[in-house]
Amino acid sequence: MPNFTLNGISVDVPEGTTVLQAAKTVGIEIPHYCYHPNLSIAGNCRMCLVEVEKFPKLQIACNTVVTEGMVVKSDTEKVRQAVTGVLELMLINHPVDCPICDQAGECGLQIYYMKYGLHKSRFAFEDKVHKKKVQDIGGQIVLDAERCILCSRCIRFLQEVTGTSELEFFRRGDHSEISIFPGRPLDNQYTGNLADICPVGALTSKDFRFKCRVWFLRGTRSICPGCANGCNVEAHFKEDIVYRLKPRRNDDVNRTWMCDPGRLEYKKANEARLLTPVVRENGGLKAEAWEAALSFAAFRLWETVEAHGAASVAVIASPAFSNEELYLARKLAEEVLRTPNVGFSPRSSGNGLSDDFLIKADKNPNTRGAQLLGISEEKFDDIVRKIEGGEVKALLVFGNELADFPGERTAELLSRVPFVAQVGTNEGAVSLAAHAVLPSASFVERGGTFTNHAGRVQRFWMGFPPRGNARGGIEILVGLANRLGAGWTFAGEASVFRAIARSEAPFAGMSYESLGELGQIAGGKG
Amino acid sequence: MAIGVKKVARPRQMSGGETLYLLEILRGLGVTMGHLVRNVFRQENIATIEYPEVRRVMPPRFRGLHRLMRRPDGTPRCVACYCCATACPAVCITIVAGESPDPAVEKYPVRFDIDMLRCVFCGHCVEACPCDAIRMDTGWFTPPEHTREKLIYTIDMLLEK
Ligand code: SF4
Ligand code: SF4
Ligand code: SF4
Ligand code: SF4
Ligand code: FES
């Protein structure tokens, strides 16, 4: 454990730590562009210069390993002047077209200019070297070569993470620019990350481009609902519209990356949403108040149990719901309806794409959670057979689709059941057939936990209250159960998770506090 | 604490002649007649103007109705940067940005509405604009309208001003 002094503070760091990393641990910010915690070190932007005693020249903090007794200063006038000089050099040919640049508001150049620059430009606009703007280079990315500060983060990402190497530096001197090879656009499933790691507005996201200024957005910690990998993300929204997902660092799951299809998952929270409870009676659809819709659904379930016995009722859970909701759904089936028919299917109509990095073939965020909570997949096929045989008289469906069935198959199956209630977020084959639609909150509108493919239980947080008249799944389930005489007192996801930790072996000993931001492996490990 | 008694001075009792007000009425009529005669013979000094045929000249820095500027080719100068909408304390500017077919322009406002009913004419939007695309130099204030909708000025109306 070498000990060194940084700006007069004595710091102990593990062997091999660089000055930049060490500074971060004690809350001292050293400006940097090319350094990225999950990429190799390039040391080419020269923003991180610091003074090291006994060295004649300034050193770059990102590539200087701490040694015993080192004395480093990052707050001297000499350092400040050097950083200002580097910044001025970078801005010489920069177009500074912030008004039309999507990066404005979260741009490395803007931030450091306000901190270390504030100089007047000594370079005439006419003398600037101009490069090609607005280039569609494939994937989710638009390139503006003029804005690039040549930090090489994007090149290293494509070499080290995806291994596809589509981007490279071309030409020399102040004509140097970043580009793809002619006729070979970006071709991988992780291009969106380039817009995140580019410290300036050279690489921007096609999807997010011009949709919203970043300073209007607020964020919440979340989990990507796109597949079983459970990448940690930050969901950015304005009022009740979600604009983008950005990866959140979790070195055990996704490091600082996420896949391109996952980035578009936010659209489901905006489009084709079920926003008000709907009841279908005597052939007509009617928007209802929550109280009436819940009472109607509960009454029909009770009526069916009374008339045909508990075995004529079935519950189809969904791996798109949180552990808390799945637990309550199972509890509702087992303890309130007393039916043995409760199952779920991890199959979904998604493309089934997978690779050996992040993307998993299972397109549900919580299949593992449903399995660990003892909800079975065989039971799903069993329920489908019973529906076909006309044995199921009332059905409670969670989610927007039935397994990977095409729309006609779902419609045909559900038409055999006299009463179908749905708890779901989006319009689809199930909502078209349901007799009672109970709209539930999207992943940004409620809190809870998902268990990823490796059994890691991870929290996601509520960003804003449910849109329209939708309600959190827990609230809906408690409402239904209590109308059936259960007397549940759960309020909020935390209380349900405490119950799970008490009664379900894989989750024993867990709490929201112990899960923290990065999650814990179910079964007591990690 | 004891309650103090305060003596209030009452106005003097008016005399019988005064209570008739006759003198005062005649004096008031005198002032009116004086103005009437003066206005008939020396019209250039009348304070009243014949709005709307005649309009008052506003001082040069008067902040009036907004207008959006055009480029030499007639397209809006505004690049939909949202700086004005960000600066606006009344939150009355609604912008929707779009990708321009001209790569030299790149970003342009598909929609640009100002809700004149909410605008407080502070001029922050003009100060914030990096492109001198919005000005408040039309020298006039919001005219009355019969419906609220007519007071939400769209991009076309703002470009026409
Ligand atoms: S990259 Fe940064 S400094 Fe350059 S135009 Fe964009 S926001 Fe402005
Ligand atoms: S495009 Fe962005 S990430 Fe790539 S070298 Fe330029 S500034 Fe760096
Ligand atoms: S004048 Fe003030 S209130 Fe009116 S649009 Fe401009 S910034 Fe908003
Ligand atoms: S500040 Fe100017 S350029 Fe920017 S959106 Fe407003 S009017 Fe348009
Ligand atoms: S961060 Fe050290 S040289 Fe770029």
Side-chain angles (χ1 to χ4, degrees):
Chain A
M1 289 276 277
N3 175 286
F4 83 120
T5 317
L6 177 61
N7 297 350
I9 309 166
S10 156
V11 190
D12 279 319
V13 290
E15 201 74 52
T17 312
T18 61
V19 172
L20 197 144
Q21 288 165 334
K24 199 170 258 173
T25 60
V26 289
I28 293 177
E29 197 215 357
I30 295 180
H32 60 271
Y33 287 128
C34 68
Y35 169 81
H36 187 280
N38 291 104
L39 296 175
S40 66
I41 289 166
N44 62 14
C45 74
R46 318 310 283 185
M47 272 302 275
C48 62
L49 291 169
V50 289
E51 219 175 313
V52 182
E53 218 161 75
K54 299 206 185 78
F55 271 93
K57 289 186 182 174
L58 298 179
Q59 298 294 309
I60 49 171
C62 67
N63 204 15
T64 304
V65 175
V66 173
T67 53
E68 183 62 40
M70 207 181 216
V71 179
V72 182
K73 292 199 196 90
S74 74
D75 55 358
T76 61
E77 186 53 29
K78 196 172 164 193
V79 170
R80 218 194 56 79
Q81 269 180 10
V83 172
T84 307
V86 171
L87 201 58
E88 187 174 5
L89 187 71
M90 275 174 191
L91 285 167
I92 279 187
N93 284 312
H94 194 83
V96 203
D97 50 356
C98 311
I100 55 165
C101 180
D102 243 16
Q103 190 81 4
E106 52 184 9
C107 170
L109 283 172
Q110 288 184 330
I111 294 167
Y112 290 149
Y113 177 80
M114 297 312 284
K115 269 197 192 150
Y116 304 99
L118 290 179
H119 54 269
K120 278 250 177 305
S121 175
R122 289 187 264 168
F123 213 66
F125 179 73
E126 304 76 53
D127 295 338
K128 292 201 179 212
V129 178
H130 292 289
K131 295 168 192 162
K132 197 152 179 265
K133 299 178 84 71
V134 212
Q135 308 174 48
D136 180 350
I137 56 167
Q140 294 188 347
I141 299 296
V142 176
L143 165 67
D144 186 313
E146 223 169 39
R147 293 185 193 139
C148 170
I149 56 164
L150 307 171
C151 71
S152 85
R153 274 185 179 187
C154 54
I155 299 180
R156 280 174 285 146
F157 173 81
L158 292 172
Q159 280 169 357
E160 296 162 17
V161 180
T162 65
T164 46
S165 309
E166 293 100 332
L167 282 171
E168 193 44 85
F169 286 135
F170 292 87
R171 308 173 83 186
R172 281 179 294 166
D174 58 6
H175 287 274
S176 303
E177 62 176 284
I178 202 100
S179 182
I180 50 170
F181 298 94
R184 286 178 51 198
L186 293 179
D187 182 22
N188 64 70
Q189 292 294 325
Y190 297 92
T191 59
N193 297 303
L194 294 170
D196 296 341
I197 58 171
C198 181
V200 298
L203 301 170
T204 50
S205 154
K206 256 183 233 171
D207 179 63
F208 179 63
R209 226 169 124 79
F210 305 162
K211 294 269 162 57
C212 186
R213 279 309 207 174
V214 298
W215 54 82
F216 294 127
L217 297 174
R218 292 197 300 133
T220 188
R221 291 161 293 179
S222 194
I223 300 292
C224 171
C227 85
N229 198 57
C231 291
N232 290 212
V233 299
E234 179 105 355
H236 288 169
F237 55 88
K238 180 185 164 196
E239 281 150 28
D240 60 1
I241 301 294
V242 188
Y243 282 89
R244 62 176 182 184
L245 298 183
K246 284 218 163 213
R248 179 161 58 93
R249 187 169 177 192
N250 186 340
D251 285 348
D252 292 323
V253 181
N254 55 314
R255 285 186 263 164
T256 26
W257 323 123
M258 73 183 291
C259 74
D260 286 353
R263 260 175 217 273
L264 303 180
E265 278 295 314
Y266 75 89
K267 297 197 176 185
K268 291 184 192 156
N270 297 342
E271 294 162 7
R273 280 291 300 277
L274 297 167
L275 291 176
T276 192
V278 171
V279 163
R280 183 194 308 269
E281 241 181 335
N282 313 323
L285 286 176
K286 194 159 144 255
E288 278 285 7
W290 267 105
E291 304 312 309
L294 281 173
S295 299
F296 171 74
F299 175 74
R300 293 294 304 265
L301 289 171
W302 172 82
E303 198 181 44
T304 312
V305 174
E306 291 293 299
H308 305 277
S312 63
V313 180
V315 175
I316 296 181
S318 160
F321 280 68
S322 67
N323 291 322
E324 290 78 359
E325 288 153 348
L326 287 169
Y327 169 78
L328 290 186
R330 193 196 75 192
K331 203 172 163 71
L332 177 80
E334 286 178 351
E335 296 174 16
V336 183
L337 297 168
R338 298 214 172 74
T339 171
N341 303 325
V342 47
F344 83 103
S345 169
R347 286 172 283 151
S348 58
S349 59
N351 53 18
L353 192 84
S354 72
D355 63 14
D356 54 4
F357 184 37
L358 299 179
I359 306 175
K360 300 289 174 286
D362 176 3
K363 296 299 168 206
N364 301 297
N366 203 23
T367 300
R368 192 83 192 103
Q371 289 164 344
L372 290 177
L373 286 166
I375 303 175
S376 102
E377 292 161 48
E378 297 81 56
K379 279 281 178 61
F380 174 80
D381 301 321
D382 200 39
I383 294 170
V384 171
R385 264 194 304 278
K386 285 185 178 166
I387 293 174
E388 281 167 336
E391 289 166 51
V392 176
K393 306 284 184 217
L395 182 63
L396 178 59
V397 187
F398 290 83
N400 311 315
E401 50 180 24
L402 281 186
D404 52 355
F405 299 156
E408 310 85 67
R409 170 102 167 102
T410 304
E412 192 267 330
L413 262 184
L414 295 182
S415 69
R416 290 164 183 262
V417 185
F419 176 71
V420 179
Q422 180 207 11
V423 180
T425 49
N426 293 73
E427 290 162 14
V430 175
S431 71
L432 287 177
H435 301 91
V437 175
L438 307 172
S440 66
S442 76
F443 70 107
V444 222
E445 295 158 11
R446 67 190 206 275
T449 57
F450 286 143
T451 310
N452 82 348
H453 71 106
R456 178 176 287 270
V457 184
Q458 311 189 92
R459 275 187 80 178
F460 58 94
W461 282 258
M462 179 167 101
F464 50 89
R467 270 181 74 188
N469 255 333
R471 268 190 191 180
I474 294 174
E475 218 182 320
I476 299 174
L477 276 154
V478 170
L480 269 181
N482 284 348
R483 279 174 178 75
L484 290 163
W488 287 355
T489 52
F490 298 109
E493 63 270 16
S495 65
V496 184
F497 195 78
R498 277 195 294 276
I500 297 180
R502 268 198 305 275
S503 70
E504 306 297 310
F507 298 89
M510 285 185 181
S511 68
Y512 275 2
E513 289 71 41
S514 75
L515 293 181
E517 287 206 7
L518 305 178
Q520 247 181 328
I521 302 278
K525 289 183 268 88
Chain B
M1 209 178 84
I3 298 171
V5 178
K6 188 167 163 106
K7 283 246 160 26
V8 180
R10 302 272 169 203
R12 174 180 65 82
Q13 280 283 307
M14 285 195 283
S15 68
E18 275 171 339
T19 52
L20 273 176
Y21 294 111
L22 193 62
L23 192 65
E24 296 306 315
I25 289 173
L26 287 178
R27 227 196 258 164
L29 281 174
V31 172
T32 311
M33 290 308 284
H35 278 287
L36 180 74
V37 172
R38 218 174 24 249
N39 287 350
V40 167
F41 294 104
R42 292 186 52 196
Q43 292 197 346
E44 66 272 21
N45 280 350
I46 302 178
T48 316
I49 59 165
E50 294 189 14
Y51 184 82
E53 288 80 15
V54 182
R55 290 187 167 193
R56 200 183 292 286
V57 179
M58 293 298 179
R61 293 184 57 190
F62 172 75
R63 290 194 298 265
L65 279 186
H66 308 69
R67 64 174 174 142
L68 284 178
M69 309 301 291
R70 290 176 190 268
R71 295 170 202 247
D73 67 355
T75 56
R77 207 188 265 176
C78 168
V79 295
C81 69
Y82 289 77
C83 286
C84 51
T86 307
C88 177
V91 204
C92 62
I93 306 182
T94 310
I95 304 172
V96 174
E99 184 102 35
S100 166
D102 179 359
V105 175
E106 209 174 325
K107 195 179 179 188
Y108 81 108
V110 178
R111 207 179 124 194
F112 191 111
D113 297 345
I114 303 183
D115 185 344
M116 286 302 174
L117 287 167
R118 288 176 72 168
C119 175
V120 295
F121 291 90
C122 62
H124 284 0
C125 48
V126 178
E127 294 293 325
C129 181
C131 311
D132 189 19
I134 187 165
R135 291 189 187 167
M136 295 176 78
D137 59 357
T138 49
W140 215 240
F141 35 79
T142 326
E145 295 284 2
H146 292 293
T147 63
R148 286 166 183 271
E149 289 70 34
K150 282 191 182 156
L151 283 162
I152 296 175
Y153 286 13
T154 61
I155 184 162
D156 297 321
M157 296 161 78
L158 292 164
L159 281 168
E160 281 319 305
K161 296 227 180 293

